[in-house]
Amino acid sequence: MKQITTSILLLLLFSCQSASKIEKRQNSNASGNTPEFIEGLYVNTKTIRDKKRWSLLFQVMKDAGMNTAVVDIQPHPPTPEQVAEAKALGFYMVARVVNFEGGLIEKTPNTNLMASIQKSIRKACELGFPEIQLDYIRYADGGTNFSMSYEKRYESILGIIKDHKEKTKDSCSKDTRWTADVFGRVPFIENDVIGQKVEPFSEELNGLYPMLYPSHFYGLTKRVADPYGTIKDGLDLTVKRAKEGTKAIAWVQGFNMMVGPSKLSYTDYIKVQMQGARDSLGHGFIVWNAGNEYIDTMNAYEKYKSEPTPNNQKVSQNGE
């Protein structure tokens, strides 16, 4: 019955025919404390700009038991009232700040672009977001026309992160948490041309969000077919390689791409990724769906909350 109710609420959400009035409640997370284990969704600009849609989505998430939202800041940040509404429901709020769409193609970024990014970071801090999540904080994956060693690439990207932190001290407190999205392959390999590496990133950041979408492990049949093991292994490796105390939160695939090789239904495909995160050394997961279409995700989340992890031999292809 609960699963049906969730589906109905979400159908109302996406048709925007109804809205739920949220009761204002205080919760320990309103202070900005990071949940011990993050469970949440990505919230896009479309949802931000539709206040009824925003309110209903957060109510559905609250009723289901989620505790975190990663929210777009560019180009239209949420209003102070929207942030206060989510915090009153107890949500830990993470501001997603895009840096270089598609990746940086020059050795150093344009100063005007850097100023624009830092303006968005300041806005997020002024709105009361306790965490700044830097996305696309990397070089382009191919297509660059310059020669640069791995170490110089890491050094350059870290320099950008340090510059962001230094230039936004007027708006962001010393307690602001700084995190970054990293390619899903980064925890699994030693060096990468995009300038992301677990070890140096963890020295400068409080947490890493590897994008462990199984569908994106192109050519690696085992990873594509094993959503549980891919999430679990990716988070385990991130924690083992990172500086002690660094949080590792998985981006989980909430979109229907290359699900077939897993031999799972779409709902179960999402569910076992959540279970992989729970069974790992990591600290949670955020589900990504670019259109914020979360009916299947919420049904998967209910199953995840109520079902034990299946036998690893049936779920994980790698036997770990």
Side-chain angles (χ1 to χ4, degrees), residues 39-88:
E39 297 178 349
L41 304 178
Y42 159 67
V43 180
N44 67 12
T45 298
K46 180 180 178 181
T47 299
I48 292 168
R49 300 192 76 176
D50 186 334
K51 293 182 181 178
K52 292 180 179 180
R53 183 184 177 94
W54 170 282
S55 296
L56 187 51
L57 178 58
F58 275 93
Q59 188 64 63
V60 169
M61 291 166 66
K62 174 68 176 180
D63 291 344
M66 289 184 171
N67 56 29
T68 301
V70 174
V71 181
D72 275 342
I73 291 298
Q74 308 127 309
H76 301 286
T79 65
E81 292 76 20
Q82 286 176 301
V83 176
E85 180 179 69
K87 284 188 171 185

Side-chain angles (χ1 to χ4, degrees), residues 176-233:
T176 298
R177 293 179 54 78
W178 293 84
T179 59
D181 296 329
V182 299
F183 265 15
R185 71 192 186 209
V186 167
F188 293 92
I189 61 178
E190 181 63 25
N191 290 300
D192 202 300
V193 295
I194 62 172
Q196 293 182 339
K197 186 172 183 175
V198 171
E199 289 84 354
F201 264 42
S202 71
E203 292 291 334
E204 195 62 39
L205 297 164
N206 301 111
L208 299 175
Y209 289 73
M211 299 179 286
L212 294 167
Y213 316 128
S215 65
H216 283 41
F217 282 81
Y218 308 113
L220 297 176
T221 306
K222 201 183 237 185
R223 291 279 164 223
V224 174
D226 182 15
Y228 172 89
T230 298
I231 300 296
K232 182 181 184 302
D233 295 346

Side-chain angles (χ1 to χ4, degrees), residues 149-162:
S149 69
Y150 288 131
E151 291 305 321
K152 286 294 184 182
R153 287 172 186 254
Y154 304 142
E155 184 181 318
S156 176
I157 298 298
L158 287 177
I160 292 168
I161 294 171
K162 291 175 183 177

Side-chain angles (χ1 to χ4, degrees), residues 247-261:
K247 299 291 186 181
I249 300 99
W251 276 109
V252 160
Q253 180 179 333
F255 50 92
N256 196 349
M257 177 180 175
M258 293 294 291
V259 172

Side-chain angles (χ1 to χ4, degrees), residues 111-132:
T111 53
N112 290 334
L113 177 55
M114 286 287 284
S116 175
I117 296 164
Q118 288 160 9
K119 181 179 179 181
S120 295
I121 292 172
R122 288 190 196 93
K123 180 64 176 178
C125 288
E126 290 163 2
L127 284 168
F129 281 87
E131 180 175 322
I132 304 298

